[in-house]
Amino acid sequence: MILASSLCSPLGLRRWSAAALVALASGFLAPLQAQTAPQAATATRSVNEWLTRMHEASRQRAYMGTLVVSAGSVMSASRIWHVCDGAQQMERVETLTGAPRTTIRRNNEVITFIPESRTAWVEKRESLGLFPELLRTPSNAIPDHYGVRETGVERVAGHLADVVEIVPKDPLRFGYRIWSEKKTGLVVRLQTLGEQGNVLEQVAFSELQLDAPVRMDKLNRLMNNTRGYEVHTPVLKKTTPEAEGWRLRESVPGFLSMSCYIRDGGEATGADAAPMQWVFSDGLASVSLFVEVFDAQRHGQEKSSVSGATHSVTRRIGDHWLTALGEVPPATLRLFAQSLERAR
């Protein structure tokens, strides 16, 4: 659920893209493939109906709680306050582990405060919510690539929740197991599942108060109070891959181009030329292609790496260096990497 990296700042928050507590994920959950029929109930809603219900729940409700995220051996926690008045959404996220950091967003405006360095990073994000491009991709092809099944009802943070599995129809994308609060539809726990149904990454509320007294005016004051902070506002310039001289030789099934940006750094050329970020989505999963001028001192051997559900693949393309990054199987990233080529 946030791109794992951002051209806007080195502080781009990761999206809520997984679920659950480590203790619950380590042995008490059956793999996805083991939960096929007969015990899986027939879905009463389509995959789009479920996802729309989950997506809209956070837009219509105030809540506060503690989120626990685990990816591999790494676990972190944050405190979240969320409110929506029908026209505006506001949210404050404060880290409880690691370096202190507070992020406040108002619709697509985001500011991240870092107390240790007394710096604040301001950016705009087109994509907000659980899944960055949920139901926003042209023609909405999610049902072509994912199915859905309902597997029961469980309690999470004291709330009853429907358990729903979003099942990929091919090996190019991961699956999800989602706990949706029964009355509101709010996602209270989510797991990203690997090819064998293993849990790659998890996020869950360990404590949640629905209809909490979260005040938008207070969040606005906090967001605007940058006194004592050095404010950084990186500027992104919207562009097209064609304008930057790039294209995909072959498309990757299900993934559509969503946006393309470069950091607006004036007329820099050569090694200082602005890097490009080309974003793709299938409606749930996102892939970013970061392209920059090759630098022998910074760029080593081509390699693959993984952190939780996030994989990356690097490749040299002539005088440029590609980093393909996303919460998808490495084979999917390799298809992107092999297909990207200079158009001029």
Side-chain angles (χ1 to χ4, degrees):
M1 320 169 200
I2 46 251
L3 289 180
S5 185
S6 170
L7 285 177
C8 295
S9 80
L11 308 168
L13 290 180
R14 299 196 59 190
R15 66 181 178 84
W16 311 125
S17 60
L21 298 172
V22 173
L24 293 170
S26 59
F28 296 97
L29 297 172
L32 181 62
Q33 292 183 345
Q35 292 197 359
T36 54
Q39 74 266 34
T42 301
T44 58
R45 296 183 175 95
S46 69
V47 62
N48 276 355
E49 288 171 337
W50 271 112
L51 293 171
T52 300
R53 172 176 163 81
M54 297 170 189
H55 189 256
E56 291 301 313
S58 64
R59 299 171 57 87
Q60 302 171 1
R61 189 152 305 270
Y63 57 84
M64 57 189 295
T66 302
L67 275 173
V68 178
V69 181
S70 63
S73 61
V74 179
M75 186 171 66
S76 61
S78 300
R79 186 72 178 165
I80 184 170
W81 296 260
H82 178 97
V83 63
C84 182
D85 64 4
Q88 284 197 108
Q89 281 195 86
M90 289 203 72
E91 190 170 83
R92 174 187 176 195
V93 180
E94 184 175 305
T95 61
L96 300 177
T97 54
R101 181 177 299 176
T102 298
T103 298
I104 304 173
R105 70 173 174 92
R106 178 177 53 230
N107 296 330
N108 67 343
E109 302 172 69
V110 182
I111 184 168
T112 300
F113 295 92
I114 306 175
E116 289 182 342
S117 60
R118 303 302 294 175
T119 57
W121 292 81
V122 178
E123 59 181 311
K124 288 187 180 292
R125 298 181 190 165
E126 290 186 355
S127 302
L128 297 172
L130 187 65
F131 296 101
E133 309 297 345
L134 177 60
L135 308 182
R136 204 167 74 86
T137 49
S139 77
N140 183 19
I142 292 176
D144 294 339
H145 303 286
Y146 296 91
V148 64
R149 60 172 173 251
E150 301 161 18
T151 62
V153 177
E154 296 180 8
R155 291 181 74 232
V156 177
H159 299 272
L160 283 178
D162 293 306
V163 186
V164 181
E165 291 178 355
I166 309 298
V167 185
K169 295 182 178 180
D170 61 42
L172 296 178
R173 56 211 97 232
F174 292 137
Y176 304 93
R177 184 181 291 122
I178 307 174
W179 286 253
S180 173
E181 201 273 329
K182 204 163 183 60
K183 293 181 181 179
T184 65
L186 186 71
V187 173
V188 292
R189 178 178 173 187
L190 186 147
Q191 298 175 333
T192 302
L193 305 173
E195 297 177 61
Q196 304 302 319
N198 54 306
V199 178
L200 302 175
E201 192 171 300
Q202 316 179 60
V203 60
F205 281 103
S206 60
E207 175 268 326
L208 173 65
Q209 180 183 350
L210 295 174
D211 300 320
V214 183
R215 292 175 49 184
M216 191 167 287
D217 60 337
K218 182 177 180 180
L219 292 183
N220 269 310
R221 287 196 301 271
L222 291 171
M223 187 173 194
N224 296 328
N225 184 15
T226 59
R227 184 177 180 180
Y229 280 79
E230 181 181 351
V231 179
H232 299 268
T233 310
V235 178
L236 292 186
K237 177 184 175 182
K238 201 162 189 176
T239 184
T240 65
E242 293 77 15
E244 302 307 314
W246 294 96
R247 67 187 176 196
L248 284 186
R249 187 170 53 253
E250 295 181 6
S251 62
V252 178
F255 287 89
L256 301 177
S257 175
M258 302 301 298
S259 61
C260 186
Y261 292 93
I262 59 171
R263 186 192 297 270
D264 192 354
E267 301 301 323
T269 59
D272 296 324
M276 179 188 78
Q277 181 186 13
W278 189 3
V279 181
F280 296 82
S281 177
D282 68 357
L284 297 186
S286 293
V287 170
S288 281
L289 304 182
F290 295 91
V291 182
E292 57 190 323
V293 175
F294 176 76
D295 183 343
Q297 293 184 336
R298 293 191 301 112
H299 302 135
Q301 293 183 334
E302 298 179 357
K303 63 180 181 179
S304 301
S305 61
V306 58
S307 175
T310 301
H311 290 76
S312 68
V313 170
T314 59
R315 180 192 175 203
R316 183 175 178 178
I317 306 176
D319 294 329
H320 291 80
W321 185 256
L322 165 68
T323 301
L325 181 76
E327 291 192 342
V328 294
T332 307
L333 296 180
R334 285 193 289 270
L335 287 178
F336 276 102
Q338 292 162 5
S339 184
L340 185 69
E341 65 181 10
R342 289 295 279 170
R344 55 173 168 80

